[in-house]
Amino acid sequence: MVVAEDSPLMREGLVSLLARFGHETIAAVADADAVVTAVRADPPDVLITDVRMPPRHADDGLRAAVALRQAIPGLPVLVLSQYVEQSYAAKLLDSADGSGVGYLLKDRVGAVAEFVAAVEQVAAGETVVDPDVVRQLLRRRHDPLQRLSPREQEVLALMAEGRSNATIGARLHISDAAVNKHIGNIFTKLDLPTATDGHRRVLAVLAYLRG
């Protein structure tokens, strides 16, 4: 196993717990860069990782896991976190048809044996996902606005105010090219292709107002 957890107590606790059940931890690391280095050097049977960890203390652990699954197809990954980072969680669960992947919430793991069983299921290529994670991801997929990044939501909000691209760029301190790129992403994420019958800018604003 490779264990990625920035809390020293939690990290050592996981290593000890896995050892009790006969699982060897080949690396226990505290930041996302070390996760990538450890897994690339010696791909484990399972990568167990938290979501939020250094260097940015954001979703670095989950982003690293998604990147590693792309680089090492079939790498089993179990995310153990207090948070559901919806965008990257969806990417992780969609990778490799969702096989050999898990996402559990720390506060909802009720028993040690339950956790170890989840680790072994993921190692065997099964999928283990907390029901609350599933509910949050389903809500996201039903609301297309949730697919937009924070910056894209800002751009769409200004579009809804009737602002021109030039004004949006000035308000957000970004170039015209950047505004056009964000608007293109908005159209794509709201499923408004070029052939859509109607003015895509208007349809995007209507989607925003309905949301």
Side-chain angles (χ1 to χ4, degrees):
M1 309 287 171
V2 166
V3 173
E5 167 62 58
D6 62 335
S7 165
L9 287 178
M10 185 73 182
R11 185 170 64 251
E12 292 305 315
L14 285 170
V15 172
S16 298
L17 175 63
L18 292 166
R20 276 178 49 199
F21 285 82
H23 298 300
E24 178 189 5
T25 299
I26 57 176
V29 298
D31 64 76
D33 293 338
V35 174
V36 174
T37 300
V39 171
R40 286 182 178 276
D42 188 4
D45 292 335
V46 180
L47 164 62
I48 302 172
T49 184
D50 196 356
V51 169
R52 298 187 182 183
M53 61 175 57
R56 296 184 308 130
H57 298 281
D59 54 4
D60 303 58
L62 185 52
R63 291 163 64 102
V66 171
L68 285 167
R69 286 268 290 185
Q70 292 172 342
I72 308 174
L75 172 71
V77 173
L78 174 60
V79 175
L80 180 63
S81 179
Q82 291 177 295
Y83 310 98
V84 182
E85 296 291 346
Q86 296 182 13
S87 177
Y88 276 90
K91 288 183 180 178
L92 180 68
L93 293 170
D94 284 340
S95 63
D97 296 328
S99 60
V101 68
Y103 201 123
L104 298 178
L105 298 178
K106 290 178 180 175
D107 294 341
R108 290 170 54 90
V109 176
V112 168
E114 176 187 337
F115 170 70
V116 174
V119 172
E120 293 171 348
Q121 286 176 273
V122 170
E126 298 180 29
T127 305
V128 182
V129 183
D130 186 284
D132 196 46
V133 175
V134 174
R135 280 192 290 271
Q136 291 193 44
L137 292 177
L138 284 175
R139 279 201 298 271
R140 175 181 180 273
R141 291 188 176 191
H142 289 158
D143 181 2
L145 292 178
Q146 295 299 315
R147 301 174 191 162
L148 305 185
S149 69
R151 177 62 88 187
E152 289 160 0
Q153 292 184 17
E154 289 181 304
V155 170
L156 182 54
L158 290 169
M159 288 166 60
E161 292 177 9
R163 308 297 179 184
S164 67
N165 287 10
T167 301
I168 292 172
R171 290 279 292 271
L172 299 179
H173 305 291
I174 57 178
S175 67
D176 288 347
V179 173
N180 286 327
K181 181 179 178 182
H182 288 310
I183 291 175
N185 290 340
I186 291 167
F187 291 157
T188 299
K189 292 181 180 180
L190 295 183
D191 298 323
L192 298 173
T194 306
T196 297
D197 185 17
H199 194 299
R200 291 196 296 171
R201 197 177 182 100
V202 174
L203 293 175
V205 168
L206 288 174
Y208 173 77
L209 296 175
R210 284 196 296 266

